[in-house]
Amino acid sequence: MTNVQSYDYIIAGAGCAGLSLAWFLVHEGPGNRKILIADQSLQARDDKTWCFWSSAGIPDAALIDHEWQKLEIRTDNHHGISGLTPYGYYCVQSDSYHRKMTSVLRESTNIDWVECRIDDIDTQNNRARLHTSKGTFDADYIFQSIRPVDIDAHELNLKQHFIGWEIRTEKPVFNTEAACFMDLSVKQREGITFMYILPYSGSQAIFEYTLFSEHLLPAETYETEIRQYLKDRFNLDEDAYTVIRKERGIIPMVDNGFMPAQNERVINIGASAGLAKASTGYTFTRTHTTNRKIVQLLKSGQPPVPQNPSPRRFRAYDILLLYIIKYHPASALEIFETLFKKNRLVNILKFLSEETHIGEEIKIFWSLPHRPFFKAIYGARRLLLTAFSSR
Ligand SMILES: Cc1cc2nc3c(=O)[nH]c(=O)nc-3n(C[C@H](O)[C@H](O)[C@H](O)COP(=O)(O)OP(=O)(O)OC[C@H]3O[C@@H](n4cnc5c(N)ncnc54)[C@H](O)[C@@H]3O)c2cc1C
């Protein structure tokens, strides 16, 4: 019989979900539990730039690398730079997050770390088991963030997909006053297409050519568009800047994507739990707030299976928007343009954070073209029923 090492909890995957869960377990958890953290690489990776506008969920404000107090929106018929109070727009680099979190977690004697390939997760005798290239481990619970959401198992199977270039220019050209949330004035392809810009300094910024759509583009296409945008918007020829880092993302935007557990012993966390907000792809804040809830459940002796963080009506709003993007993209563009033109940006952010009350939501919907939503209510009626009938 093979030797199995036992733990109270195993965290399978040490990305932002795994590390933040470990952080909450150490600082707010039931205490004195043996924890194993397993990942194929325990090194910090500079491959993701996480942004969000409410810092309430993150463990420590010192994790924030950049912040802006204003956001820019550009469409064909509207351009605005708006203040965000009471929010800010915050940015965390994945490598600095990893370094800061692990330097705290490595001090905990309750945590073991193993760098290994995870081959399988199953359950036996009411224990969760992790099968890896370094042996088998078992625990009361495994919290896993290694299995991606199966996007194509959903009818609304969109993705937020992008390639980003972080560039450095010879001369300062960027306005650091505001990050650009969406520049929708770029040529539209399938779905919704926009440029997203984070100006870190006058001479350093990240440009992400982004789509909300079903099909990925060849890598060269995203990069050609970034090159062209730098020329058109900033008059930057290729020899005027250096690409210092590239970033690629494919984030699920699906109907009814929340899946909190594989079974009662194997709990999903982070992106694997379907925590990407369906209509925006933002996942970082919800990962932290949901992890904190998981730890509260453990502490109170309950099964650590969290509720869907989205109230039912917000799941329904997301489904309507995804349906319109997938089946009526021209209407979707008109909706985005009208949304930004007729509503204050802070109200939109509050709505996207699912913090609005119903009166505020009616006001927002009233400002938008109505017909596409009526069509979507009919077309997506089965998905809406699922959203309203699930937990
Ligand atoms: C480039 C990019 C930018 C993003 N930007 C934002 C943003 O601005 N705001 C926002 O809210 N969300 C953003 N997201 C979405 C979301 O926040 C991220 O995807 C986030 O990294 C999800 O964290 P996670 O821990 O769930 O998954 P991951 O960070 O992917 O972590 C999973 C971990 O599991 C490990 N692993 C996987 N398979 C195995 C295996 N077989 N064996 C061992 N280890 C394994 C991996 O090495 C990894 O460390 C972004 C996503 C991407 C890809």
Side-chain angles (χ1 to χ4, degrees), residues 16-17 39-40 45 48-51 118 248 271 282-284:
C16 100
D39 198 295
Q40 61 204 353
R45 273 159 290 165
K48 297 185 189 82
T49 309
W50 294 308
C51 287
I118 298 167
R248 175 162 211 181
Y282 281 87
T283 320
F284 188 81

Side-chain angles (χ1 to χ4, degrees), residues 350-368:
K350 189 175 176 192
F351 173 65
L352 295 177
S353 313
E354 306 182 346
E355 292 164 350
T356 39
H357 57 69
I358 198 116
E360 294 169 300
E361 291 145 32
I362 290 171
K363 253 192 188 164
I364 289 179
F365 280 108
W366 197 252
S367 73
L368 303 175

